[in-house]
Amino acid sequence: MSKLLIVGTVAFDAIETPFGKTDKILGGAATYISLSAAQFGVKSGIVSVVGGDFPKDYLTQLNGKGINTDGVEIIEDGKTFFWKGKYHNDLNTRDTLITDLNVLAEFNPVVPEEYTDTDFLMLGNLHPAVQMGVINQISTKPKLIVLDTMNFWMDSALDQLMEVIAKVDVITINDEEARQLSGEYSLVRAAQKIHEMGPKYVVIKKGEHGALLFNNGDVFFAPALPLEEVFDPTGAGDTFAGGFIGYLAKSEDISFENMKRAVIAGSNLASFCVEKFGTERMESLLEKEIQERLLQFKQLTQFEIELS
């Protein structure tokens, strides 16, 4: 079985949407990614940091899903990273009300010995220096390195980010970030420019409008499943990334054709994530539900047409 190493935040979130609000709940990119990848039964581990205020029950919860948390450093006299946000009525825009880096501010990642030969590496959205610190600890080049980043790092640490981008196989960013990184408005041209920076594959996420996969002139588009209700979009992008790399790690096939299926797998899981606050839906998700919704995706995109 392939090993999957996930680097990212394990955190507290406080969320407000038009449908309600929460106090501090379990959140963080690595949390969503790992819960999503766990649906494929892959051997996964997290590298992250939390404070002494982080409930041990949360780590036990992740362990129960087969996720190794040996690489989660606990700084007993520190506080866990905390984000608070409020979504607008369209759920596509949000205001960040609080960002407390806390222990994340001085995070120096240490990869457990068991994962220094990982087959698949998922670099969640963190400072590029942290992401590079992890890459440098991997003894054998993984079959696939996937990077997630954001416009904040493009603004504040572009040179370091470019060094990381040059070392990865896949980059996942949203359409706004792709345009900023490439300087191109057309997403096709943006993907071409980003290819030249190093990644063989570019995944551009468009939220409720689906996702695009680019590879040297080949393009694949996966729609987002139309949902009756979207309750909380927090973590949907990370859940997509976890489903994407989890599917690839399970199948051990990194061809473009299989990446198409991985994009659908990621979109499928992301559609569940938004149905409840935080990680609640991902924690209770059943295999039967996943398969039923995959069938909906297939029916959504399948058609017959005669070509002359």
Side-chain angles (χ1 to χ4, degrees), residues 1-283:
M1 182 185 294
S2 291
K3 290 184 191 175
L4 166 62
L5 182 65
I6 298 158
V7 186
T9 52
V10 174
F12 291 131
D13 289 342
I15 303 160
E16 183 174 348
T17 78
F19 310 108
K21 60 182 180 180
T22 71
D23 292 322
K24 284 185 178 180
I25 59 173
L26 177 61
T31 306
Y32 283 101
I33 293 167
S34 61
L35 284 171
S36 183
Q39 302 298 330
F40 300 98
V42 296
K43 182 179 180 182
S44 63
I46 294 176
V47 170
S48 191
V49 62
V50 296
D53 58 342
F54 192 78
K56 304 296 188 292
D57 286 351
Y58 282 160
L59 296 178
T60 304
Q61 208 170 299
L62 294 173
N63 297 154
K65 298 287 186 183
I67 301 160
N68 185 308
T69 56
D70 291 348
V72 179
E73 182 184 1
I74 301 173
I75 299 177
E76 293 295 349
D77 59 351
K79 289 188 174 181
T80 302
F81 174 66
F82 172 57
W83 176 83
K84 182 176 183 178
K86 180 177 181 179
Y87 288 88
H88 296 190
N89 284 335
D90 64 358
L91 292 177
N92 288 320
T93 52
R94 71 185 184 192
D95 297 322
T96 293
L97 306 178
I98 299 173
T99 302
D100 290 334
L101 291 177
N102 296 328
V103 294
L104 194 64
E106 302 296 326
F107 180 38
N108 185 22
V110 177
V111 176
E113 182 68 30
E114 185 183 358
Y115 281 89
T116 56
D117 62 346
T118 190
D119 303 290
F120 291 81
L121 175 59
M122 177 72 224
L123 299 170
N125 181 21
L126 282 172
H127 194 292
V130 174
Q131 295 172 327
M132 185 62 83
V134 170
I135 291 174
N136 290 337
Q137 292 176 61
I138 304 301
S139 57
T140 309
K141 190 179 187 310
K143 291 177 186 172
L144 197 76
I145 303 177
V146 179
L147 168 71
D148 187 27
T149 190
M150 67 183 298
N151 48 12
F152 179 78
W153 306 122
M154 296 173 200
D155 294 333
S156 63
L158 182 60
D159 289 346
Q160 289 167 296
L161 176 60
M162 293 301 287
E163 289 177 14
V164 176
I165 288 173
K167 289 184 172 290
V168 306
D169 304 294
V170 184
I171 183 171
T172 71
I173 48 179
N174 68 29
D175 44 1
E176 177 191 354
E177 292 157 352
R179 290 180 172 119
Q180 178 175 341
L181 184 60
S182 65
E184 296 283 354
Y185 182 80
S186 159
L187 294 180
V188 174
R189 286 181 180 167
Q192 290 169 349
K193 281 275 185 76
I194 297 168
H195 278 312
E196 292 167 8
M197 298 172 189
K200 301 181 191 73
Y201 303 92
V202 178
V203 178
I204 300 179
K205 299 172 287 186
K206 294 172 61 64
E208 64 178 330
H209 303 297
L212 289 155
L213 169 67
F214 296 89
N215 171 238
N216 295 328
D218 292 325
V219 186
F220 174 70
F221 173 72
L225 194 68
L227 299 171
E228 288 185 22
E229 285 188 326
V230 176
F231 199 76
D232 171 24
T234 308
D238 293 316
T239 301
F240 169 88
F244 176 80
I245 199 164
Y247 183 89
L248 294 173
K250 181 184 180 182
S251 60
E252 300 184 336
D253 176 356
I254 56 172
S255 66
F256 182 70
E257 286 304 311
N258 200 50
M259 282 203 186
K260 293 179 184 179
R261 292 185 278 270
V263 168
I264 293 293
S267 299
N268 188 38
L269 290 171
S271 75
F272 288 104
C273 177
V274 302
E275 292 182 336
K276 290 189 177 180
F277 271 125
T279 61
E280 186 181 349
R281 188 68 177 92
M282 298 308 296
E283 291 167 28

